[in-house]
Amino acid sequence: MSEPLRGILLDMDGVLYVGDKPVPGAAEAVAWCRQAGIPLRFLTNTTSRPRAALVEKLARFGIEATEAEILTPPVVARAWLAEHVEGPVALFVPEATRAEFSGLPQLADPAAGGAGAVVLGDLGEGWDYPTLNTAFRLLMAEPPPPLVALGLTRYWKAPDGLRLDVGPFVRALEYASGREAVVLGKPARPFFQAALDQLGLPAAQVLMIGDDIRGDVGAAQAAGLRAALVRTGKFRPSDLEGDIRPDAVLDSLADLPAWWQKNA
Amino acid sequence: MSEPLRGILLDMDGVLYVGDKPVPGAAEAVAWCRQAGIPLRFLTNTTSRPRAALVEKLARFGIEATEAEILTPPVVARAWLAEHVEGPVALFVPEATRAEFSGLPQLADPAAGGAGAVVLGDLGEGWDYPTLNTAFRLLMAEPPPPLVALGLTRYWKAPDGLRLDVGPFVRALEYASGREAVVLGKPARPFFQAALDQLGLPAAQVLMIGDDIRGDVGAAQAAGLRAALVRTGKFRPSDLEGDIRPDAVLDSLADLPAWWQKNA
């Protein structure tokens, strides 16, 4: 017999909205959770926009949320760094992401060495050989600083075509340095753990809802949560033919209240 | 009982010379092989210098060799491409390496797409985000062209410090595209196979001699050859404490004739 469900983690893009369009009924489903007193957190790998911008976007779709309820890789990474790292951190992240790390001591001149940790984000055009080499040399110091990755996303689709995201650069520097990154984003377990810590609930009592069969559903299940797949966003019917079995499949988030009342 | 040894593969840097200094007795050992009629090939992952420059370097140390006897990743890659690929190849290699691919149809404008294969070398400062993204988009075409790597070297030591070599960029593009590279350099088996094909000998009859316990000795043994480790170049005593057992350990290449007469 499963434990009763008491909390919810919600992926954002593909579940609450698809690009700039709200998913019909999603706002009502979130409002229903609020009324029912079900604690929830929003979980997204988006690192290009600060949380304030995400709060605004949700508000436009009629969804109330606070910054504190939104967990992004930089937010979780900041907490991890504050707990685990002493020296100044070297941030290889876009300008918009840098704000999420305010308050942490930052390395003024990475080329001079001496990082307490090396943090890799979706730096995009900012990645060139000297920058990668600077990150590499920091990682080869003794004692070696931890390599922290803001997710492992492979690529994203820009208007002019596919573009490399943070993941490939993490793999490059892992291979060069012979070390493994601490990944603070989906699908890594510490990212889900940070959300559970905020909810104050054990994994077995929390439902993750997402549109990505691997990054949301499979990853959450691997972290001990139950997981529902929605048939919106990047969902494709073939997602249900693989080795990952969602604990629930919903046509959209609008079906959550009915499912929850019957199954939670 | 092992088969008799009939041919030799020689690593260059660390075996014949260390940087700009010849290994004492190495020239005499190579000359002895020639006189004894033992066929040999030189095997190096160096891609920064064309074979003509390597022949000159060997000549300065009193070692006779022809370009045809030197196998480098570009040379083996060119042969592989000629056999396996029809369309024009997209070369992400330094200018000096490009000459080794002359005669193969080359993609004039990689950003326009349409590569028959994507070849990655030690492009160094040439790696920037647009260049990596161009290679990535070529790899995501349908049908996907093969990803060919000129070795998997992690880094090298420049006068001003460590510098990323080709390997990290191969790993980045493998991860982004979800594909595996054909690696044509040590420690990959096809590289050794190309040398065996040139010698016209089966693996069991050939001895690889190198100073790298993994890239030379372990890799050659994995390809079915026997392998000798020399205590010159990058050799460290701890190399002999791991899981790889060389078939012979020589103080230097100077000891080869005596060893061969007793053991071949």
Side-chain angles (χ1 to χ4, degrees):
Chain A
M1 200 46 204
S2 304
E3 293 188 43
L5 287 168
R6 298 188 196 280
I8 291 176
L9 300 181
L10 279 172
D11 178 32
M12 297 178 68
D13 199 354
V15 174
L16 302 172
Y17 49 82
V18 179
D20 278 326
K21 292 199 171 168
V23 167
E28 290 76 6
V30 173
W32 177 85
C33 292
R34 303 285 195 197
Q35 283 181 333
I38 303 165
L40 52 82
R41 291 293 181 279
F42 302 92
L43 224 62
T44 174
N45 267 7
T46 297
T47 62
S48 57
R49 311 175 72 180
R51 284 174 298 168
L54 294 172
V55 168
E56 271 177 40
K57 182 167 183 171
L58 290 178
R60 279 206 307 279
F61 298 147
I63 298 170
E64 260 184 73
T66 63
E67 284 190 38
E69 287 176 324
I70 301 179
L71 278 89
T72 64
V75 170
V76 176
R78 192 197 182 289
W80 189 92
L81 290 165
E83 191 179 341
H84 292 87
V85 170
E86 298 235 324
V89 300
L91 296 177
F92 295 87
V93 304
E95 208 46 48
T97 307
R98 198 170 280 269
E100 301 280 17
F101 291 91
S102 65
L104 272 190
Q106 293 177 24
L107 195 64
D109 179 12
V118 175
V119 180
L120 307 186
D122 180 20
L123 196 52
E125 301 280 342
W127 287 122
D128 55 18
Y129 188 82
T131 303
L132 278 165
N133 217 52
T134 296
F136 170 57
R137 289 180 181 183
L138 288 172
L139 290 168
M140 296 297 276
E142 283 295 340
L147 171 59
V148 174
L150 304 183
L152 276 178
T153 308
R154 290 163 193 258
Y155 57 86
W156 55 283
K157 202 169 176 174
D160 73 328
L162 303 180
R163 295 178 72 86
L164 296 167
D165 206 298
V166 63
F169 298 95
V170 175
R171 291 297 189 226
L173 289 167
E174 283 186 324
Y175 179 72
S177 64
R179 310 247 310 289
E180 205 177 323
V182 178
V183 182
L184 297 172
K186 292 182 284 183
R189 190 179 185 125
F191 195 55
F192 290 99
Q193 190 55 52
L196 295 173
D197 290 348
Q198 282 211 3
L199 288 176
L201 291 172
Q205 296 182 5
V206 176
L207 180 72
M208 169 76 202
I209 306 174
D211 66 328
D212 183 327
I213 186 73
R214 296 201 171 278
D216 293 323
V217 175
Q221 290 177 333
L225 292 80
R226 271 170 280 174
L229 184 70
V230 290
R231 294 179 190 269
T232 52
K234 69 171 71 164
F235 170 82
R236 291 175 307 176
S238 62
D239 292 344
L240 296 170
E241 292 160 14
D243 50 340
I244 297 171
R245 299 288 169 109
D247 296 280
V249 181
L250 307 176
D251 280 346
S252 88
L253 191 64
D255 291 353
L256 175 68
W259 183 90
W260 187 273
Q261 286 168 311
K262 198 168 159 196
N263 297 281
Chain B
M1 200 44 206
S2 303
E3 292 188 44
L5 288 168
R6 297 187 196 281
I8 291 176
L9 301 181
L10 279 172
D11 178 32
M12 297 179 69
D13 199 352
V15 174
L16 302 172
Y17 49 81
V18 179
D20 276 328
K21 293 197 170 167
V23 167
E28 290 75 7
V30 173
W32 178 85
C33 293
R34 304 284 195 195
Q35 282 180 333
I38 303 165
L40 52 83
R41 291 293 183 278
F42 302 93
L43 224 63
T44 174
N45 267 8
T46 297
T47 62
S48 56
R49 312 175 71 182
R51 283 175 298 168
L54 294 172
V55 167
E56 270 177 41
K57 180 166 185 171
L58 290 178
R60 278 205 307 280
F61 298 146
I63 298 170
E64 260 185 73
T66 65
E67 284 190 36
E69 288 176 326
I70 300 179
L71 277 89
T72 65
V75 170
V76 176
R78 191 196 183 291
W80 190 92
L81 291 164
E83 191 179 342
H84 293 88
V85 169
E86 298 232 326
V89 300
L91 296 177
F92 296 88
V93 304
E95 207 49 45
T97 308
R98 199 171 279 269
E100 301 280 17
F101 292 92
S102 65
L104 273 190
Q106 294 177 22
L107 196 63
D109 179 12
V118 175
V119 180
L120 307 187
D122 178 20
L123 195 53
E125 301 280 344
W127 287 122
D128 56 17
Y129 188 82
T131 303
L132 277 165
N133 217 51
T134 296
F136 169 57
R137 289 182 183 182
L138 288 171
L139 289 168
M140 296 296 276
E142 281 295 339
L147 171 59
V148 174
L150 305 184
L152 276 178
T153 307
R154 291 164 193 256
Y155 58 87
W156 54 284
K157 202 169 177 174
D160 72 328
L162 303 180
R163 294 178 73 85
L164 296 167
D165 205 299
V166 63
F169 298 95
V170 174
R171 291 297 188 229
L173 290 166
E174 283 185 325
Y175 179 73
S177 64
R179 311 248 309 290
E180 204 178 325
V182 178
V183 182
L184 297 171
K186 293 181 283 183
R189 191 178 184 123
F191 194 56
F192 290 99
Q193 191 55 53
L196 295 173
D197 291 348
Q198 280 210 5
L199 288 175
L201 291 172
Q205 296 182 6
V206 176
L207 180 72
M208 170 75 200
I209 305 174
D211 66 329
D212 183 327
I213 185 74
R214 298 202 170 275
D216 293 323
V217 175
Q221 289 177 333
L225 292 82
R226 270 170 281 174
L229 183 70
V230 289
R231 296 178 189 268
T232 52
K234 69 170 73 166
F235 170 80
R236 292 176 305 175
S238 62
D239 292 345
L240 296 170
E241 291 159 17
D243 52 340
I244 298 170
R245 300 287 167 112
D247 296 281
V249 182
L250 307 176
D251 281 345
S252 89
L253 191 64
D255 291 352
L256 175 66
W259 183 89
W260 187 274
Q261 285 169 312
K262 198 169 159 194
N263 296 281

